[in-house]
Structure formats: structure tokens, C-alpha cells
Amino acid sequence: MIQATALFTHALNMLFHAPSTTLRVILPAVLWVMGAAAVAGVLAGDALGAMDQVIKNAAPPPTDQLLILIACGVAGILGYALMAILWHRYVLLGHDGADLRPGARLFGAYVWRAIVLGFVQFLAALPIGLAMLLLGGLTGSSPAALLLIGLVAGVAFLWLALRLSLVLPAAALGHVMSVRESWRATEPLAGTLWALAVLLAVVNTLLGVIASMLPPADPGLRLMLDSAIYLIEGLVFVSMLTTLYGHLVEGRELG
């Protein structure tokens, strides 16, 4: 647990010891993500509202607005990818100049690696999901039991992501790392990463609770708020991957 706390603290320190620098580095990605959310809220507000009610009244959202939502969703995902690349490169390359910005080829390679990684994680997570479903069936529909099962599943998914995702900071630097190589590189900290996954799950849960307590009821404003929360969650996870890559692959100290 001590080593997990050290890794977690190091990742957070990189983000918050100079907040203005952090914001300057990731600002293009923040504007990209929040801009996509704003466009979706303005041009497809009816579709957002319809999607909130689709289970209740089975009314599909307007087709034209649905296409806008899909386009904005893709743009938002690409914005998250840009944020990750910028932060990986800022920390691991040690500067924030013009070279920090990825070229189209590097950006495309990163997105492709993220897609491949997502597919691998999905396949690897299937047994976890099935086990949680079986466990849920055995324990019944108790809210407390379902909450506990959800938390355990979330921790397991985060642990898996930490083991496999070093391919992403490698791709941000223009290097090629296979998923198997990431698994091997994280093997020395396999036990520690369980504790780290718990810490990340706690952060995600707290941010989710905070988001649920905030007032915006308008679908567009809610989407922008949720996007901001996802940016913070994503940045914490990206900083954790950066820390792990620097420590395990490049041999950097955590001090």
C-alpha cells in the first residue's frame, strides 16, 4: 500500500504542483472536448433530452440531432486522446514547447493503439463481467450487495487497464509497445496496482457523487458538466500511466 500511495501521490503532484502549467499544456484538448459538448448542447439539445427519457417513453431522438451527437461524441473522444498525448509528452519529454504537439501521424497511431487496447481490454474484461453477474445472481438484488459487486468490478477493470495501458504513453512518444510488453513491464507491481486501482476507484466515485449533487438540469449544461468531470478523471488516470511508464520502463525515481 505504501508503494501504491507513493505512485498515486507522485501522479497527483505532477498535475497540481503547478496548476497553471497543467492547464496550459492540456488547454487545446480541454477546448476541444468542451467545445464538442457545447455544440452538442446547442445543436442537439432535444436529442440529449430524448435520450434521457428513451427508456421511459421509447421515443427515439431526432435523427438529424442524433447524427450531430455522434459527431460531437467522436470529436470529444479525439479531444481526450489529445489531452493524454499532450500530458504524456509534457512529462516524459521534459518540456512544453512546440515539439509537445503531436503530428497527424503520431496522433493517428495513438488513436489506433487506443482502439486496439480497448478491444483487448473488452475481451479480457468479459470473464470479470460474467463473474460479477453470477455473483449478483447468487446474492440476490440487495442494493448493498449490488453496490459492493459494482465496486469490486470497477477495481478489477481499473487494475486490468493499468496492466495493459502502458502502450499509450509509449505511443505518445512515437514508440511501439505491445499489450504483452505492457503486461510484462507491470508484472513487478502487479500486487501494488490492486491498491492503486482502489485509490483510483475512490477518486472516480467521489467525483461521481460531486457531479450528482451539482444542479444543472438542462441536458446541454449537464453534458458540459459531465465532460468536465470525465476530463478530470481521465487526466488523473493518464498521469498515473505516465508515472508508471516513467518508473517501470524508463527507470525514473518517484521522489
Side-chain angles (χ1 to χ4, degrees):
M1 188 64 183
I2 294 177
Q3 192 171 17
T5 303
L7 288 164
F8 189 70
T9 301
H10 186 272
L12 292 184
N13 283 341
M14 288 194 300
L15 290 174
F16 297 117
H17 83 283
S20 60
T21 300
T22 298
L23 181 59
R24 186 177 72 251
V25 169
I26 66 171
L27 185 59
V30 172
L31 294 176
W32 191 338
V33 172
M34 298 308 294
V39 170
V42 171
L43 299 183
D46 292 340
L48 286 171
M51 291 179 69
D52 288 339
Q53 301 297 324
V54 68
I55 296 178
K56 296 180 180 179
N57 57 27
T63 303
D64 57 339
Q65 293 192 17
L66 182 59
L67 293 176
I68 293 174
L69 280 183
I70 293 172
C72 290
V74 172
I77 291 171
L78 294 177
Y80 280 100
L82 178 62
M83 177 193 71
I85 294 171
L86 290 173
W87 189 252
H88 290 319
R89 289 175 67 80
Y90 167 68
V91 174
L92 297 173
L93 294 178
H95 62 79
D96 59 352
D99 290 342
L100 189 66
R101 301 171 186 172
R105 184 174 181 179
L106 188 147
F107 185 79
Y110 185 94
V111 171
W112 172 246
R113 296 300 296 170
I115 292 172
V116 172
L117 176 64
F119 181 70
V120 172
Q121 288 181 341
F122 171 75
L123 293 179
L126 283 177
I128 298 174
L130 290 174
M132 294 301 105
L133 285 174
L134 290 174
L135 188 58
L138 292 175
T139 57
S141 57
S142 166
L146 293 176
L147 177 61
L148 180 59
I149 290 171
L151 289 174
V152 171
V155 169
F157 291 144
L158 282 168
W159 178 82
L160 186 64
L162 290 169
R163 292 295 308 270
L164 301 178
S165 296
L166 293 191
V167 301
L168 297 179
L173 299 179
H175 304 155
V176 177
M177 172 183 279
S178 68
V179 172
R180 180 176 296 180
E181 288 172 331
S182 176
W183 184 267
R184 290 175 178 171
T186 54
E187 182 64 33
L189 294 182
T192 298
L193 293 184
W194 281 108
L196 194 57
V198 171
L199 292 174
L200 289 171
V202 169
V203 170
N204 291 345
T205 300
L206 289 176
L207 288 173
V209 170
I210 292 171
S212 68
M213 295 171 62
L214 295 176
D218 177 80
L221 292 177
R222 170 54 59 180
L223 178 61
M224 293 191 68
L225 174 63
D226 289 341
S227 296
I229 295 295
Y230 294 148
L231 273 171
I232 296 172
E233 290 180 357
L235 190 56
V236 171
F237 185 76
V238 164
S239 191
M240 195 66 258
L241 292 183
T242 307
T243 298
L244 288 173
Y245 186 88
H247 182 58
L248 294 173
V249 178
E250 296 185 342
R252 302 188 186 198
E253 297 295 329
L254 295 176

